[in-house]
Amino acid sequence: MNREKLINRTSSYHHQLHRGLGTKISVAPGRVNLMGEHTDYNDGFVLPTAIDFFTCVCGSLKEGSNVSITALDFDNEVDHFDLQDDILPHDDDIWKNYIRGAFYFLKMEGYSLGGCALTISGTIPKGTGLSSSASLEIAVLNTLSELFGLSLDNLKMAQIGQKIENEFVGLSCGIMDQLSSACGIEGQALQIDCRNFKITNITIPTSLSLMIVNSNIKRQLTTSAYNDRRRECQQAAEFMGAKSLRDITEKTFLSQKNCMPELLARRAEHIITENARVIKMATALRKTNIEEISSIMADSHTSMKNLFEISTPEIDILVNIISKFINVSGGVRMTGGGFGGCVVALLPASSVEGVRQQIQSQYPYQTGLKACIYLNQPTRGVETVQGIFS
Ligand code: GLA
């Protein structure tokens, strides 16, 4: 389903349910990261792009202080709460917490809210590391900002989104996903400095297709393993007397490496070299230096596999199948938080069909799983749009 159809579907359902006047509608994209994995919470650099999979949120004002939310993708399941009561996380239905969290933090920060009804639907494959949750947070926050005149800017929405994850959902993530969904630009990757949130646009060469392959691995214990990595990075930084790994140069690291616990040294080495790869990748993209792109992406994957230990055998198989086919005419690596999810490839359009065939014939044979292949466009960030009834 494309963006247009998603907006029509969500807004016509919303109209049937609420016949709301002055309905506000937001659409926020997912993201794929091209370089810089787990560097965001180390105050480092990332290079994501927003992609043309979206979450759409329609909202209408209601009398009183009741909030009702209908999730079209969860069999029209409804969540209700009263803004005058404490807003608490739901124990089982995790989707509800991304929205409850938005109300919770806006209320905590003193924004004036009121009763409303929201209807939500999206096209981002859930739980695959393409940021369906960040795009939900950003779309909800943008709709609430429009409904209640809160004037939240993109950075503020991203920061609240990150807080929802950290303090309401329990994932100690960085800010990359939320900033990508809020600030995406058509045709561009965003080089983000996660220390000061400065964004530099990097054009993705139009000669390269953006392919994402979903391994369809059921991700397990991802939250605890992710939070472990964050803690280990913090410990490594402290060991070297720094606030974060962003502040450690390769030279300092090499001088301290052998005194550190081996596990912490491996985690630190990934982050320090991955930060450098973001800068190199941005230059390689600018110059359309495909061989360089290929080699940086390969190094990044090896680092995630061996040093940060966030890949899986199935993801490695996908990376091998693709890299064997494209060789140095493109690049491929695992993308996102890890422990399953997707790989991302930048490859010539002429290789797309061949890669597809290789994946379809080899991946099920080697893993017993079927992969899903997506071709995406680098796209723009959250927008307020018109629906068919607004
Ligand atoms: C998840 C987190 C991000 C980031 C990536 C890994 O997507 O939400 O903040 O840390 O993993 O790069």
Side-chain angles (χ1 to χ4, degrees), residues 31 33 36-41 46 129 131 162 165 171-178 226 310 335-338:
R31 69 93 191 91
N33 191 18
E37 233 57 82
H38 287 254
T39 42
D40 58 352
Y41 57 76
V46 289
S131 293
Q162 186 191 7
E165 300 276 356
L171 180 75
S172 310
C173 66
I175 201 167
M176 167 172 73
D177 306 346
Q178 290 76 12
Y226 183 99
I310 51 175
T335 184

